[in-house]
Amino acid sequence: MEALTLGQLVEAVGGTLLGDFRDLNATFTGVCTDSRAVTENCLFLPLQGERFDGHGFINSALEDGAAGCLTARERESYLPGKFYVKVRSTQRALRDLAQYYKSLFPIPVVAVTGSVGKTTTKDMVAAVLGNKYKVLKTEGNFNNDIGMPLTILRLEREHQICVLEMGMDHAGEIDYLSELAQPDVVLITNIGDAHIENLGSREAIFRAKCEAFAHLKEDGLAVLNGDDPMLSTLRGSLRQKTVFVGSGEGLEYTACDVENEEGHISCTVRTPVSQFGASIPALGAHMIYPTLMAVAVAEHFGMAPDEITQGIRAFLPTKMRMNLIRCPGDVVILNDAYNANPQSMRAAAAVLGDAHDRRRVAVVGDMKELGANSELFHRTVGGYFAAAGVDRLIAIGDLARYMAEGAREAGLEQASYYPTMEEAEDALLREVRAGVTILVKASRSMAFERIVEFLQAHTSH
């Protein structure tokens, strides 16, 4: 973060100074919301939630080196040499500060949203653009009303493009985030069932994702999945330039001759202005979508085919997102434990199914926030793995029992259910053998990275 003055902070958040400190030229060089991660000369911003209140950590943050803080209420005492800025809401002040800070950087913003593949698409876009431009991108799960402002506050003078991921679990959230982002380019990966429990229907999810268009600049670009039945209905309806990607007929950006090879896939990319071969360092035919979206964005920003293909080759998936781990004894683990929903499970089943010359084992767990039809979704996912031709399915969790039942109903006899990881350990150990590929996937709250660690620990013996 570039240094801001106390005067700029007060102006940005509409705050009031408390205590004796009055030097408006005093500066801070970072924003921290976690008192355990305070850096020297940062601004401490205490957030409030249902179960926590950061105001209780203001003194310790200041004593650990923070230059000052925001606060939503008066303090009983004030530490000398530290500034205190009173605001009505610290969360709103975080957004206001990010909005002010962003105005200091007249660079284009690419905003990525969708039900499945947001992070992969964000990473691919950043990798491709990064071959020509200095890019700031969303890291980890900083894609919400707290994470996005904190990402924007990481901008520095060297950055030329900002790539932001926008997540949501309720209506209005994309509107809130995109109003802050003011994007030059909006990407929507697809419309699926993630968070359907909160939104009620796919139609409602579609409407929520489309909130981004209200804040897309007039001369901006929308890049949409043309194979998605809902997104494809937007052709001709947006005031901004719109392009569609996918495998269907009549789309502006398509991929053909898609082949799965050792550790990567290859394809031929066709765009309105060029055609070229691409090697994508990831698994699964579904990877054509983030790749094509990145190509569309790159061409929008003037990149040539050779620059684009070099950027694609530089792509690295985020941790726990279909990471291929080669273990001793010819054991391969596909660590896709970051999250799960019906659409991403289907793509994962296809990836595992492509390992034709190996024993294929799926270790799967609960998918959260699927609402009243959760049992049906889990049964259907079990069917995906049966149809993909996997040899064994180990389902772990409360709802996962329906995956095992769905898999058996679809003809996969070796499908078992275990309520907990501990109860599944023996079954997992029996699958650690030469020539096996084991997929590990569940919703984030299941913490299936523990299973990956367990498997890795037992392959080294």
PDB file of all heavy atoms in Angstrom, residues 206-228:
ATOM      1  N   PHE A 206     -28.934 -16.198 -11.055  1.00  0.00           N
ATOM      2  CA  PHE A 206     -28.667 -15.510 -12.322  1.00  0.00           C
ATOM      3  C   PHE A 206     -28.863 -14.004 -12.171  1.00  0.00           C
ATOM      4  O   PHE A 206     -28.005 -13.200 -12.552  1.00  0.00           O
ATOM      5  CB  PHE A 206     -29.596 -16.088 -13.391  1.00  0.00           C
ATOM      6  CG  PHE A 206     -29.549 -15.383 -14.725  1.00  0.00           C
ATOM      7  CD1 PHE A 206     -28.367 -15.288 -15.439  1.00  0.00           C
ATOM      8  CD2 PHE A 206     -30.694 -14.835 -15.269  1.00  0.00           C
ATOM      9  CE1 PHE A 206     -28.330 -14.657 -16.674  1.00  0.00           C
ATOM     10  CE2 PHE A 206     -30.674 -14.201 -16.496  1.00  0.00           C
ATOM     11  CZ  PHE A 206     -29.483 -14.107 -17.199  1.00  0.00           C
ATOM     12  N   ARG A 207     -29.999 -13.607 -11.580  1.00  0.00           N
ATOM     13  CA  ARG A 207     -30.265 -12.184 -11.397  1.00  0.00           C
ATOM     14  C   ARG A 207     -29.204 -11.539 -10.497  1.00  0.00           C
ATOM     15  O   ARG A 207     -28.755 -10.418 -10.750  1.00  0.00           O
ATOM     16  CB  ARG A 207     -31.659 -11.968 -10.802  1.00  0.00           C
ATOM     17  CG  ARG A 207     -32.802 -12.277 -11.766  1.00  0.00           C
ATOM     18  CD  ARG A 207     -34.123 -11.776 -11.234  1.00  0.00           C
ATOM     19  NE  ARG A 207     -34.498 -12.426  -9.982  1.00  0.00           N
ATOM     20  CZ  ARG A 207     -35.199 -13.558  -9.908  1.00  0.00           C
ATOM     21  NH1 ARG A 207     -35.589 -14.161 -11.028  1.00  0.00           N
ATOM     22  NH2 ARG A 207     -35.528 -14.084  -8.742  1.00  0.00           N
ATOM     23  N   ALA A 208     -28.800 -12.266  -9.457  1.00  0.00           N
ATOM     24  CA  ALA A 208     -27.803 -11.720  -8.529  1.00  0.00           C
ATOM     25  C   ALA A 208     -26.457 -11.524  -9.227  1.00  0.00           C
ATOM     26  O   ALA A 208     -25.788 -10.502  -9.016  1.00  0.00           O
ATOM     27  CB  ALA A 208     -27.653 -12.638  -7.322  1.00  0.00           C
ATOM     28  N   LYS A 209     -26.042 -12.477 -10.044  1.00  0.00           N
ATOM     29  CA  LYS A 209     -24.770 -12.340 -10.757  1.00  0.00           C
ATOM     30  C   LYS A 209     -24.820 -11.165 -11.739  1.00  0.00           C
ATOM     31  O   LYS A 209     -23.828 -10.457 -11.940  1.00  0.00           O
ATOM     32  CB  LYS A 209     -24.431 -13.622 -11.508  1.00  0.00           C
ATOM     33  CG  LYS A 209     -24.216 -14.847 -10.622  1.00  0.00           C
ATOM     34  CD  LYS A 209     -23.033 -14.698  -9.701  1.00  0.00           C
ATOM     35  CE  LYS A 209     -22.776 -15.972  -8.919  1.00  0.00           C
ATOM     36  NZ  LYS A 209     -21.698 -15.801  -7.910  1.00  0.00           N
ATOM     37  N   CYS A 210     -25.989 -10.959 -12.345  1.00  0.00           N
ATOM     38  CA  CYS A 210     -26.131  -9.901 -13.350  1.00  0.00           C
ATOM     39  C   CYS A 210     -26.133  -8.497 -12.737  1.00  0.00           C
ATOM     40  O   CYS A 210     -26.112  -7.504 -13.481  1.00  0.00           O
ATOM     41  CB  CYS A 210     -27.408 -10.114 -14.162  1.00  0.00           C
ATOM     42  SG  CYS A 210     -27.316 -11.518 -15.313  1.00  0.00           S
ATOM     43  N   GLU A 211     -26.155  -8.406 -11.422  1.00  0.00           N
ATOM     44  CA  GLU A 211     -26.058  -7.093 -10.775  1.00  0.00           C
ATOM     45  C   GLU A 211     -24.770  -6.369 -11.172  1.00  0.00           C
ATOM     46  O   GLU A 211     -24.697  -5.142 -11.136  1.00  0.00           O
ATOM     47  CB  GLU A 211     -26.101  -7.248  -9.253  1.00  0.00           C
ATOM     48  CG  GLU A 211     -27.447  -7.702  -8.708  1.00  0.00           C
ATOM     49  CD  GLU A 211     -27.381  -8.136  -7.240  1.00  0.00           C
ATOM     50  OE1 GLU A 211     -26.294  -8.037  -6.636  1.00  0.00           O
ATOM     51  OE2 GLU A 211     -28.413  -8.572  -6.722  1.00  0.00           O
ATOM     52  N   ALA A 212     -23.767  -7.130 -11.570  1.00  0.00           N
ATOM     53  CA  ALA A 212     -22.474  -6.528 -11.941  1.00  0.00           C
ATOM     54  C   ALA A 212     -22.596  -5.600 -13.136  1.00  0.00           C
ATOM     55  O   ALA A 212     -21.839  -4.620 -13.258  1.00  0.00           O
ATOM     56  CB  ALA A 212     -21.456  -7.632 -12.240  1.00  0.00           C
ATOM     57  N   PHE A 213     -23.536  -5.865 -14.035  1.00  0.00           N
ATOM     58  CA  PHE A 213     -23.622  -5.083 -15.266  1.00  0.00           C
ATOM     59  C   PHE A 213     -24.030  -3.633 -15.010  1.00  0.00           C
ATOM     60  O   PHE A 213     -23.728  -2.749 -15.809  1.00  0.00           O
ATOM     61  CB  PHE A 213     -24.590  -5.737 -16.247  1.00  0.00           C
ATOM     62  CG  PHE A 213     -24.184  -7.125 -16.657  1.00  0.00           C
ATOM     63  CD1 PHE A 213     -25.098  -8.172 -16.609  1.00  0.00           C
ATOM     64  CD2 PHE A 213     -22.887  -7.396 -17.062  1.00  0.00           C
ATOM     65  CE1 PHE A 213     -24.733  -9.456 -16.964  1.00  0.00           C
ATOM     66  CE2 PHE A 213     -22.502  -8.678 -17.425  1.00  0.00           C
ATOM     67  CZ  PHE A 213     -23.431  -9.712 -17.382  1.00  0.00           C
ATOM     68  N   ALA A 214     -24.717  -3.377 -13.902  1.00  0.00           N
ATOM     69  CA  ALA A 214     -25.137  -2.015 -13.583  1.00  0.00           C
ATOM     70  C   ALA A 214     -23.935  -1.105 -13.357  1.00  0.00           C
ATOM     71  O   ALA A 214     -24.040   0.119 -13.494  1.00  0.00           O
ATOM     72  CB  ALA A 214     -26.035  -2.014 -12.350  1.00  0.00           C
ATOM     73  N   HIS A 215     -22.795  -1.696 -13.015  1.00  0.00           N
ATOM     74  CA  HIS A 215     -21.610  -0.899 -12.708  1.00  0.00           C
ATOM     75  C   HIS A 215     -20.476  -1.110 -13.711  1.00  0.00           C
ATOM     76  O   HIS A 215     -19.396  -0.528 -13.549  1.00  0.00           O
ATOM     77  CB  HIS A 215     -21.137  -1.218 -11.294  1.00  0.00           C
ATOM     78  CG  HIS A 215     -22.206  -1.029 -10.259  1.00  0.00           C
ATOM     79  ND1 HIS A 215     -22.624   0.227  -9.858  1.00  0.00           N
ATOM     80  CD2 HIS A 215     -22.981  -1.919  -9.598  1.00  0.00           C
ATOM     81  CE1 HIS A 215     -23.592   0.092  -8.957  1.00  0.00           C
ATOM     82  NE2 HIS A 215     -23.835  -1.183  -8.796  1.00  0.00           N
ATOM     83  N   LEU A 216     -20.710  -1.914 -14.752  1.00  0.00           N
ATOM     84  CA  LEU A 216     -19.729  -2.080 -15.819  1.00  0.00           C
ATOM     85  C   LEU A 216     -19.704  -0.809 -16.653  1.00  0.00           C
ATOM     86  O   LEU A 216     -20.753  -0.291 -17.052  1.00  0.00           O
ATOM     87  CB  LEU A 216     -20.111  -3.282 -16.692  1.00  0.00           C
ATOM     88  CG  LEU A 216     -19.256  -3.559 -17.925  1.00  0.00           C
ATOM     89  CD1 LEU A 216     -17.801  -3.823 -17.545  1.00  0.00           C
ATOM     90  CD2 LEU A 216     -19.827  -4.748 -18.712  1.00  0.00           C
ATOM     91  N   LYS A 217     -18.522  -0.284 -16.898  1.00  0.00           N
ATOM     92  CA  LYS A 217     -18.404   0.985 -17.609  1.00  0.00           C
ATOM     93  C   LYS A 217     -19.034   0.903 -18.996  1.00  0.00           C
ATOM     94  O   LYS A 217     -19.073  -0.164 -19.613  1.00  0.00           O
ATOM     95  CB  LYS A 217     -16.935   1.400 -17.681  1.00  0.00           C
ATOM     96  CG  LYS A 217     -16.365   1.767 -16.313  1.00  0.00           C
ATOM     97  CD  LYS A 217     -14.892   2.103 -16.373  1.00  0.00           C
ATOM     98  CE  LYS A 217     -14.356   2.418 -14.981  1.00  0.00           C
ATOM     99  NZ  LYS A 217     -12.892   2.633 -14.979  1.00  0.00           N
ATOM    100  N   GLU A 218     -19.508   2.044 -19.478  1.00  0.00           N
ATOM    101  CA  GLU A 218     -20.221   2.089 -20.762  1.00  0.00           C
ATOM    102  C   GLU A 218     -19.371   1.529 -21.893  1.00  0.00           C
ATOM    103  O   GLU A 218     -19.887   0.870 -22.790  1.00  0.00           O
ATOM    104  CB  GLU A 218     -20.630   3.533 -21.078  1.00  0.00           C
ATOM    105  CG  GLU A 218     -21.762   4.060 -20.197  1.00  0.00           C
ATOM    106  CD  GLU A 218     -23.116   3.465 -20.555  1.00  0.00           C
ATOM    107  OE1 GLU A 218     -23.249   2.916 -21.674  1.00  0.00           O
ATOM    108  OE2 GLU A 218     -24.039   3.539 -19.722  1.00  0.00           O
ATOM    109  N   ASP A 219     -18.080   1.805 -21.872  1.00  0.00           N
ATOM    110  CA  ASP A 219     -17.194   1.298 -22.931  1.00  0.00           C
ATOM    111  C   ASP A 219     -16.505   0.011 -22.510  1.00  0.00           C
ATOM    112  O   ASP A 219     -15.472  -0.375 -23.063  1.00  0.00           O
ATOM    113  CB  ASP A 219     -16.146   2.349 -23.298  1.00  0.00           C
ATOM    114  CG  ASP A 219     -15.266   2.735 -22.103  1.00  0.00           C
ATOM    115  OD1 ASP A 219     -15.603   2.351 -20.966  1.00  0.00           O
ATOM    116  OD2 ASP A 219     -14.243   3.425 -22.315  1.00  0.00           O
ATOM    117  N   GLY A 220     -17.086  -0.679 -21.520  1.00  0.00           N
ATOM    118  CA  GLY A 220     -16.496  -1.898 -20.981  1.00  0.00           C
ATOM    119  C   GLY A 220     -16.826  -3.126 -21.796  1.00  0.00           C
ATOM    120  O   GLY A 220     -17.485  -3.065 -22.847  1.00  0.00           O
ATOM    121  N   LEU A 221     -16.372  -4.278 -21.279  1.00  0.00           N
ATOM    122  CA  LEU A 221     -16.542  -5.556 -21.969  1.00  0.00           C
ATOM    123  C   LEU A 221     -17.121  -6.586 -21.013  1.00  0.00           C
ATOM    124  O   LEU A 221     -16.653  -6.714 -19.871  1.00  0.00           O
ATOM    125  CB  LEU A 221     -15.178  -6.047 -22.474  1.00  0.00           C
ATOM    126  CG  LEU A 221     -15.117  -7.474 -23.044  1.00  0.00           C
ATOM    127  CD1 LEU A 221     -15.868  -7.548 -24.372  1.00  0.00           C
ATOM    128  CD2 LEU A 221     -13.663  -7.934 -23.214  1.00  0.00           C
ATOM    129  N   ALA A 222     -18.125  -7.320 -21.467  1.00  0.00           N
ATOM    130  CA  ALA A 222     -18.660  -8.463 -20.720  1.00  0.00           C
ATOM    131  C   ALA A 222     -18.205  -9.740 -21.425  1.00  0.00           C
ATOM    132  O   ALA A 222     -18.371  -9.874 -22.639  1.00  0.00           O
ATOM    133  CB  ALA A 222     -20.182  -8.411 -20.656  1.00  0.00           C
ATOM    134  N   VAL A 223     -17.614 -10.664 -20.649  1.00  0.00           N
ATOM    135  CA  VAL A 223     -17.158 -11.952 -21.183  1.00  0.00           C
ATOM    136  C   VAL A 223     -17.966 -13.029 -20.474  1.00  0.00           C
ATOM    137  O   VAL A 223     -17.866 -13.189 -19.258  1.00  0.00           O
ATOM    138  CB  VAL A 223     -15.648 -12.162 -20.948  1.00  0.00           C
ATOM    139  CG1 VAL A 223     -15.197 -13.483 -21.560  1.00  0.00           C
ATOM    140  CG2 VAL A 223     -14.842 -11.006 -21.521  1.00  0.00           C
ATOM    141  N   LEU A 224     -18.760 -13.785 -21.228  1.00  0.00           N
ATOM    142  CA  LEU A 224     -19.722 -14.708 -20.646  1.00  0.00           C
ATOM    143  C   LEU A 224     -19.560 -16.115 -21.217  1.00  0.00           C
ATOM    144  O   LEU A 224     -19.107 -16.295 -22.355  1.00  0.00           O
ATOM    145  CB  LEU A 224     -21.152 -14.213 -20.905  1.00  0.00           C
ATOM    146  CG  LEU A 224     -21.458 -12.764 -20.519  1.00  0.00           C
ATOM    147  CD1 LEU A 224     -22.882 -12.401 -20.916  1.00  0.00           C
ATOM    148  CD2 LEU A 224     -21.246 -12.543 -19.029  1.00  0.00           C
ATOM    149  N   ASN A 225     -19.958 -17.096 -20.427  1.00  0.00           N
ATOM    150  CA  ASN A 225     -19.940 -18.491 -20.853  1.00  0.00           C
ATOM    151  C   ASN A 225     -21.125 -18.734 -21.784  1.00  0.00           C
ATOM    152  O   ASN A 225     -22.278 -18.788 -21.356  1.00  0.00           O
ATOM    153  CB  ASN A 225     -20.021 -19.390 -19.611  1.00  0.00           C
ATOM    154  CG  ASN A 225     -19.982 -20.870 -19.934  1.00  0.00           C
ATOM    155  OD1 ASN A 225     -20.184 -21.276 -21.081  1.00  0.00           O
ATOM    156  ND2 ASN A 225     -19.738 -21.689 -18.934  1.00  0.00           N
ATOM    157  N   GLY A 226     -20.817 -18.903 -23.059  1.00  0.00           N
ATOM    158  CA  GLY A 226     -21.881 -19.092 -24.048  1.00  0.00           C
ATOM    159  C   GLY A 226     -22.514 -20.457 -24.020  1.00  0.00           C
ATOM    160  O   GLY A 226     -23.560 -20.683 -24.640  1.00  0.00           O
ATOM    161  N   ASP A 227     -21.904 -21.420 -23.311  1.00  0.00           N
ATOM    162  CA  ASP A 227     -22.493 -22.755 -23.175  1.00  0.00           C
ATOM    163  C   ASP A 227     -23.453 -22.830 -21.995  1.00  0.00           C
ATOM    164  O   ASP A 227     -24.122 -23.851 -21.816  1.00  0.00           O
ATOM    165  CB  ASP A 227     -21.390 -23.800 -22.988  1.00  0.00           C
ATOM    166  CG  ASP A 227     -20.538 -23.970 -24.237  1.00  0.00           C
ATOM    167  OD1 ASP A 227     -21.027 -23.617 -25.337  1.00  0.00           O
ATOM    168  OD2 ASP A 227     -19.397 -24.448 -24.114  1.00  0.00           O
ATOM    169  N   ASP A 228     -23.503 -21.771 -21.191  1.00  0.00           N
ATOM    170  CA  ASP A 228     -24.427 -21.745 -20.060  1.00  0.00           C
ATOM    171  C   ASP A 228     -25.801 -21.298 -20.551  1.00  0.00           C
ATOM    172  O   ASP A 228     -25.937 -20.229 -21.164  1.00  0.00           O
ATOM    173  CB  ASP A 228     -23.913 -20.767 -18.992  1.00  0.00           C
ATOM    174  CG  ASP A 228     -24.763 -20.781 -17.743  1.00  0.00           C
ATOM    175  OD1 ASP A 228     -25.864 -20.188 -17.771  1.00  0.00           O
ATOM    176  OD2 ASP A 228     -24.359 -21.384 -16.738  1.00  0.00           O
TER     177      ASP A 228
END
